[in-house]
Amino acid sequence: MDALHDLKLRLREFAAERDWDQFHSPKNLSMALIAEAAELIEHFQWLTEAQSTQLPPDKLDEVKHELADILLYLIRVADKLDIDLIQAAHNKIKLNEQKYPAKRVKGSAKKYTEY
Amino acid sequence: MDALHDLKLRLREFAAERDWDQFHSPKNLSMALIAEAAELIEHFQWLTEAQSTQLPPDKLDEVKHELADILLYLIRVADKLDIDLIQAAHNKIKLNEQKYPAKRVKGSAKKYTEY
Amino acid sequence: MDALHDLKLRLREFAAERDWDQFHSPKNLSMALIAEAAELIEHFQWLTEAQSTQLPPDKLDEVKHELADILLYLIRVADKLDIDLIQAAHNKIKLNEQKYPAKRVKGSAKKYTEY
Amino acid sequence: MDALHDLKLRLREFAAERDWDQFHSPKNLSMALIAEAAELIEHFQWLTEAQSTQLPPDKLDEVKHELADILLYLIRVADKLDIDLIQAAHNKIKLNEQKYPAKRVKGSAKKYTEY
């Protein structure tokens, strides 16, 4: 029913079967997460922005795996800290709407980076 | 219905209202994502693993915001590259199950890090 | 005499005076280092490549601080693991020269990213 | 004479011979740098803090390479932005001395993380 909930349960089982919960402290999981985020970075670091929007199929497949890995560790950290990711995301968007009112920040990169 | 789909649409609107799509190349979004992952790291870098499992309420709230930010940028990158995050995650778990058979890797950190 | 050696000694003293060595495991220092690398990323994430080469003075000053922070943590990790950074760097360049022979990789981004 | 200056010149030559300056914008180099910092993280993510201080020889060699890579990209970014790393590092230590007076922050992790 809830897609993230399904993944959470599947990852719990995955860790339990391997006896890996002992390594899955939030501290360690945050390290694994950023290491996956860096593998995403590696795909883009020598590409132009335009090239990054038009990936060849084999590279796109690799990027899919990196995005998946980031999501999996994100779900694991959230699970370990008993955080509801979807609710947290909606709350954060609300905060961002107040922090960056459309009227004030619309348009220029300058405004974007300064807010 | 689909929680990630809802967030995707809300983020599209958020960017459109601010005319920020011009900045949201996959390359740039991958940078923003790792910057958020690093804010998560900062919360844990001087804590022990045990401390990282028992965050005080105010710190837990901040961590919620970081996890939310990571998820939001993850959804944005996936949207820009037309990737289905949930499907990608299930595919990746399947690959991991083959890569790390429970019988072979069960238990020790040594095995864990070497596979 | 040796600029990095001076910094190493100064940082040892800095940590000792604050009784911070207890937090400076290589694991923790690697987290602090990547958090500083992410602050560098944040300065560049919404800029074009061309803009990133022409920073206004105030932004350049901030970037100086981020580069300094990265160097300081790099020196600390190396110190804790008794690694000679300069020697390691020269060895790595030698390896890179073998890995990426100028004749073979010269020029295109394609070659660059595939090697 | 100056070890970092020597490395800077050697890296300039390395890039020129491969015609890679076209890829070495500060934006791109900051991405390459954080990707190397993440490879360092990967060595430590499933280790305890204590284990991270006692690396077996083969792992220590790999860590040497990661530290070297970080230093090399750090030197390249600084070169492209005409920043003197050593001077920037000394300035930053001075700032940190003011920000974290030894008397005030000495000792506890709590103080350490809150300043």
Side-chain angles (χ1 to χ4, degrees):
Chain A
M1 210 164 295
D2 177 338
L4 289 191
H5 186 70
D6 285 351
L7 286 168
K8 181 173 74 177
L9 297 184
R10 204 168 162 190
L11 291 172
R12 279 188 193 172
E13 191 182 15
F14 186 90
E17 286 172 354
R18 284 156 189 78
D19 197 14
W20 283 357
D21 274 290
Q22 57 183 311
F23 306 119
H24 285 189
S25 64
K27 180 182 177 104
N28 287 3
L29 290 167
S30 74
M31 297 175 81
L33 195 160
I34 205 166
E36 298 300 340
E39 293 190 17
L40 183 66
I41 285 278
E42 278 187 77
H43 286 292
F44 295 133
Q45 66 194 8
W46 310 121
L47 301 185
T48 63
E49 287 186 58
Q51 287 170 335
S52 80
T53 67
Q54 302 278 354
L55 301 177
D58 56 335
K59 190 143 191 164
L60 186 60
D61 271 351
E62 293 176 49
V63 166
K64 271 182 205 174
H65 289 318
E66 314 307 354
L67 295 187
D69 280 327
I70 296 168
L71 182 58
L72 297 179
Y73 282 119
L74 188 61
I75 290 169
R76 281 299 277 168
V77 187
D79 188 18
K80 289 293 179 180
L81 293 169
D82 204 18
I83 289 172
D84 181 327
L85 277 176
I86 299 296
Q87 194 188 328
H90 280 293
N91 290 344
K92 194 54 173 43
I93 294 178
K94 256 182 232 158
L95 284 175
N96 288 346
E97 284 168 347
Q98 291 162 13
K99 205 173 162 190
Y100 308 104
K103 281 184 191 163
R104 193 145 53 112
V105 302
K106 193 162 182 173
S108 81
K110 188 164 174 293
K111 277 177 187 159
Y112 188 73
T113 52
E114 282 174 6
Y115 280 95
Chain B
M1 210 165 295
D2 177 337
L4 289 191
H5 185 70
D6 285 351
L7 285 167
K8 180 173 75 177
L9 296 183
R10 203 168 163 191
L11 290 173
R12 279 188 193 172
E13 192 181 15
F14 185 91
E17 286 171 355
R18 284 156 188 79
D19 197 15
W20 282 356
D21 274 289
Q22 57 182 312
F23 306 119
H24 285 188
S25 63
K27 180 182 178 103
N28 287 4
L29 290 167
S30 75
M31 297 174 81
L33 194 161
I34 205 167
E36 298 300 341
E39 293 190 16
L40 183 67
I41 285 278
E42 279 186 77
H43 286 291
F44 296 132
Q45 66 195 8
W46 309 120
L47 301 186
T48 63
E49 287 186 56
Q51 287 169 335
S52 80
T53 67
Q54 302 278 355
L55 301 178
D58 55 335
K59 189 142 190 165
L60 186 60
D61 272 351
E62 293 176 49
V63 166
K64 271 183 205 174
H65 290 318
E66 314 305 356
L67 295 188
D69 280 327
I70 295 168
L71 181 59
L72 298 180
Y73 281 119
L74 188 61
I75 290 170
R76 281 298 279 168
V77 187
D79 188 18
K80 290 292 179 180
L81 293 169
D82 204 17
I83 290 171
D84 181 326
L85 277 175
I86 298 297
Q87 195 188 327
H90 279 293
N91 290 345
K92 193 54 174 42
I93 293 179
K94 256 182 232 159
L95 284 175
N96 288 345
E97 283 168 347
Q98 291 162 13
K99 206 173 162 189
Y100 308 104
K103 281 184 191 163
R104 195 145 52 113
V105 303
K106 193 164 181 172
S108 82
K110 189 164 173 293
K111 278 176 186 159
Y112 186 73
T113 53
E114 281 174 7
Y115 281 95
Chain C
M1 210 166 295
D2 177 337
L4 289 190
H5 186 70
D6 285 350
L7 285 167
K8 180 173 74 176
L9 297 183
R10 204 167 162 192
L11 290 172
R12 278 187 193 174
E13 191 181 14
F14 186 90
E17 286 171 354
R18 282 155 189 80
D19 197 14
W20 283 357
D21 274 290
Q22 57 182 311
F23 307 117
H24 286 189
S25 64
K27 181 183 178 101
N28 288 3
L29 290 167
S30 74
M31 295 175 82
L33 195 161
I34 204 166
E36 299 299 341
E39 293 190 14
L40 184 65
I41 286 277
E42 279 188 76
H43 287 292
F44 295 133
Q45 65 195 11
W46 309 122
L47 301 186
T48 64
E49 287 186 58
Q51 288 169 336
S52 80
T53 67
Q54 302 278 352
L55 301 177
D58 56 335
K59 189 141 190 165
L60 186 60
D61 271 350
E62 292 175 49
V63 165
K64 271 183 205 174
H65 289 318
E66 314 305 356
L67 295 187
D69 280 326
I70 296 168
L71 182 58
L72 297 179
Y73 282 119
L74 188 62
I75 291 170
R76 281 299 278 169
V77 186
D79 188 18
K80 288 292 179 179
L81 293 169
D82 204 18
I83 290 172
D84 181 326
L85 277 176
I86 298 297
Q87 195 188 328
H90 280 293
N91 290 345
K92 194 53 174 46
I93 294 178
K94 256 181 232 159
L95 284 175
N96 288 346
E97 284 168 346
Q98 291 161 13
K99 205 173 163 189
Y100 308 104
K103 280 184 192 163
R104 196 147 50 115
V105 303
K106 192 164 184 175
S108 82
K110 188 164 175 292
K111 278 176 186 160
Y112 187 72
T113 53
E114 282 174 6
Y115 280 94
Chain D
M1 211 165 296
D2 177 337
L4 289 191
H5 186 70
D6 285 351
L7 285 167
K8 179 173 76 177
L9 297 183
R10 204 168 162 192
L11 290 173
R12 279 186 193 174
E13 193 181 14
F14 186 90
E17 285 171 354
R18 283 155 188 80
D19 197 14
W20 282 358
D21 274 290
Q22 57 182 312
F23 306 117
H24 285 189
S25 62
K27 180 182 178 103
N28 288 2
L29 290 167
S30 74
M31 296 174 82
L33 195 161
I34 205 167
E36 298 300 341
E39 293 190 14
L40 184 66
I41 285 277
E42 278 187 76
H43 286 292
F44 296 132
Q45 64 195 9
W46 309 122
L47 302 186
T48 64
E49 287 186 57
Q51 287 169 336
S52 80
T53 67
Q54 301 279 354
L55 302 177
D58 56 335
K59 190 142 189 164
L60 186 60
D61 272 350
E62 293 176 48
V63 166
K64 271 182 205 174
H65 290 318
E66 314 306 355
L67 295 187
D69 280 326
I70 296 168
L71 182 58
L72 297 180
Y73 281 119
L74 188 61
I75 290 169
R76 282 298 279 169
V77 187
D79 188 17
K80 289 292 179 179
L81 292 170
D82 203 17
I83 289 172
D84 181 327
L85 277 175
I86 299 297
Q87 194 188 330
H90 279 293
N91 290 345
K92 193 56 173 44
I93 294 178
K94 255 181 232 159
L95 284 174
N96 288 346
E97 284 168 346
Q98 291 161 13
K99 206 172 162 189
Y100 308 105
K103 281 183 193 164
R104 196 146 50 115
V105 302
K106 191 164 184 174
S108 81
K110 188 162 174 292
K111 279 175 187 161
Y112 187 71
T113 52
E114 282 175 5
Y115 280 95

